[in-house]
Amino acid sequence: MSNELKGSDLTRAMLARGDKQIWCAVDDDSDEQAMMDHCGNDFTACIVSFKNGCFYCSGGSEWSFAVPIKIVAVTQHEAKL
């Protein structure tokens, strides 16, 4: 069995380490649901804290699950322009 942190466990560990803002896919049901594309209605948030069993984003909303993601800019080549 792997001891590698992932999903919401990784986000909690990053916050405990002192990270201040972590972009995450968020959901209230599960890590798996957070990572699914719900017909283009997916949710991302900048997570800033974890307290009382909930993740909190910079906008003040609370979430049960928060999976760290990478956000990178699209290049002109990728946009085919």
Side-chain angles (χ1 to χ4, degrees):
M1 184 174 277
S2 174
N3 290 332
E4 183 177 338
L5 293 173
K6 59 183 180 179
S8 293
D9 291 334
L10 178 57
T11 305
R12 278 190 289 277
M14 292 169 72
L15 289 166
R17 175 180 69 186
D19 291 20
K20 302 293 182 204
Q21 297 182 341
I22 306 165
W23 277 106
C24 292
V26 294
D27 193 82
D28 283 327
D29 293 324
S30 69
D31 284 349
E32 293 76 23
Q33 282 291 110
M35 293 304 297
M36 292 180 69
D37 180 359
H38 302 283
C39 300
N41 191 22
D42 54 334
F43 293 95
T44 59
C46 184
I47 299 299
V48 297
S49 67
F50 180 79
K51 53 188 168 191
N52 301 322
C54 293
F55 294 97
Y56 289 86
C57 70
S58 56
S61 296
E62 64 181 55
W63 300 93
S64 298
F65 298 88
V67 180
I69 58 173
K70 291 181 184 179
I71 297 178
V72 296
V74 173
T75 66
Q76 179 180 351
H77 177 74
E78 292 169 329
K80 298 182 181 2
L81 292 177

